[in-house]
Amino acid sequence: MAYRMAFQNTGGPEVLARQEFTPAPPGAGELAVRHTAIGVNFIDTYHRSGLYPVSLPAAPGIEAAGVVEAVGEGVSGFAPGDRVGYFTGKPGAYATHRNIPAALALKLPDTLSDEDAAGVMLKAATTEYLVERCARVNAGDAALVHAAAGGVGLLLVQWLKAIGVRVVATAGSADKQALARSAGADVVCDYGDAANASREMTGGTGVDAVFDGVGKTTWDVSLSALRTRGLLVSFGNASGPVTGIDLGVLAAKGSLFVTRPTVAHYYATPEDFRTGSARFLEMLATGRLKADIHQRYALTGAAQVHRDLEARKTTGATIMLPA
């Protein structure tokens, strides 16, 4: 029986419950996909908690891989049996089966397994746009990456080092710091030491860019780590959203720039989708970016997955497998 892990009302992880359903045939422009692996991302907890509103009832999840079972009217380029993945669109991936727009699907290369694809696509897409189209850092630049042992954090460190950027990385425990170091970070430290470490590595100047997926608790240290006219890329809210920004502080700390980007805006057009996807698939195929899955759960354990995510018990990528 097909099922999804859905919630009727927003709240804590306990609102996620199994809901059986009968898969509908694909509509025009859609693919009917049987999921083989489902990616887990921190944004899933935002949808479940209500931080990012969704229409209820809903299932979390915007990333998965699987096999095409049927093709809707007007779809070309896909056939039953194709291995596909997707990482954008509306939530709903916490399910054994799902119909998705063919325009959002990627045919998976033989070099990328279903599990690796589900665990890395959204994170790799996020890393691609953050580094190359948002911050636009180059060889010789310096950057600070917060939560560098997380799914996006590890990929950010790898990507930045692959293009010649010097990296300061933060992580909250010795084990997590070891992971960041193994990904190639030049300097690894606790969150509170990030500003000092950034200035020491740059001879007092400060880093060119900060990649901050933590949010509220790292806001001040992120600003203090930047050089004059540096860029703070605030792309997540793991510790809570940043509010009440004082523009005077940005001026006082060096005419700083701040942006709050999302993958939806950087992958909004077909051209952006094709270009960005081709770039991160190239990085994966050449080994400069590694899909590193650290946790595997059953789909029915979605509530525990969210508890572990919010308690920062996970590292690297996390996936769920339909039972």
Side-chain angles (χ1 to χ4, degrees):
M1 175 66 70
Y3 69 93
R4 59 175 67 93
M5 297 303 294
F7 54 98
Q8 302 294 318
N9 299 287
T10 57
E14 69 280 357
V15 301
L16 292 168
R18 176 170 173 151
Q19 178 187 77
E20 295 184 351
F21 69 99
T22 300
E30 290 186 333
L31 303 175
V33 178
R34 174 178 54 81
H35 288 159
T36 54
I38 298 151
V40 175
N41 298 280
F42 212 92
I43 193 174
D44 302 347
T45 69
Y46 301 160
H47 292 140
R48 185 216 73 226
S49 69
L51 180 62
Y52 290 0
V54 295
S55 298
L56 299 175
I62 58 175
E63 177 177 37
V67 178
V68 175
E69 294 200 322
V71 175
E73 181 182 353
V75 173
S76 61
F78 294 94
D82 285 345
R83 296 173 54 243
V84 297
Y86 64 92
F87 58 91
T88 56
K90 296 179 180 179
Y94 284 22
T96 57
H97 299 72
R98 191 183 185 192
N99 294 344
I100 63 168
L104 299 182
L106 281 178
K107 277 190 178 180
L108 299 180
D110 293 339
T111 55
L112 191 62
S113 71
D114 290 10
E115 290 193 6
D116 284 350
V120 81
M121 285 183 299
L122 178 60
K123 300 171 187 67
T126 299
T127 302
E128 178 274 322
Y129 88 76
L130 288 176
V131 173
E132 302 208 338
R133 292 188 281 142
C134 181
R136 300 184 183 182
V137 288
N138 299 296
D141 287 345
L144 166 62
V145 176
H146 283 306
V152 173
L154 284 172
L155 295 182
L156 276 168
V157 174
Q158 292 175 46
W159 198 302
L160 290 165
K161 293 306 300 177
I163 64 173
V165 176
R166 294 171 293 158
V167 176
V168 177
T170 62
S173 69
D175 289 345
K176 290 185 176 182
Q177 289 179 5
L179 282 173
R181 198 171 287 110
S182 68
D186 298 279
V187 177
V188 182
C189 61
D190 292 327
Y191 291 95
D193 297 329
N196 289 335
S198 296
R199 296 201 173 274
E200 288 176 6
M201 188 184 74
T202 58
T205 302
V207 296
D208 298 275
V210 175
F211 297 92
D212 190 342
V214 178
K216 183 177 180 180
T217 61
T218 49
W219 176 255
D220 290 335
V221 74
S222 293
L223 294 178
S224 297
L226 285 164
R227 65 165 174 82
T228 299
R229 301 194 304 275
L231 172 65
L232 170 50
V233 182
S234 179
F235 66 95
N237 313 295
S239 68
V242 176
T243 58
I245 297 171
D246 185 341
L247 296 182
V249 173
L250 302 184
K253 287 185 175 290
S255 297
L256 303 180
F257 294 85
V258 176
T259 184
R260 180 58 175 91
T262 70
V263 69
H265 293 143
Y266 278 84
Y267 278 76
T269 69
E271 182 180 358
D272 286 339
F273 183 85
R274 288 192 299 269
T275 301
S277 299
R279 179 66 172 130
F280 75 69
L281 287 174
E282 174 198 11
M283 291 289 282
L284 287 164
T286 57
R288 287 177 288 178
L289 206 64
K290 295 179 174 63
D292 197 2
I293 298 172
H294 289 197
Q295 294 85 209
R296 291 173 172 82
Y297 297 76
L299 175 57
T300 50
Q304 187 59 49
V305 176
H306 280 215
R307 293 187 187 99
D308 291 347
L309 276 177
E310 292 176 323
R312 299 191 184 182
K313 292 182 178 180
T314 64
T315 57
T318 301
I319 63 171
M320 296 188 297
L321 304 172

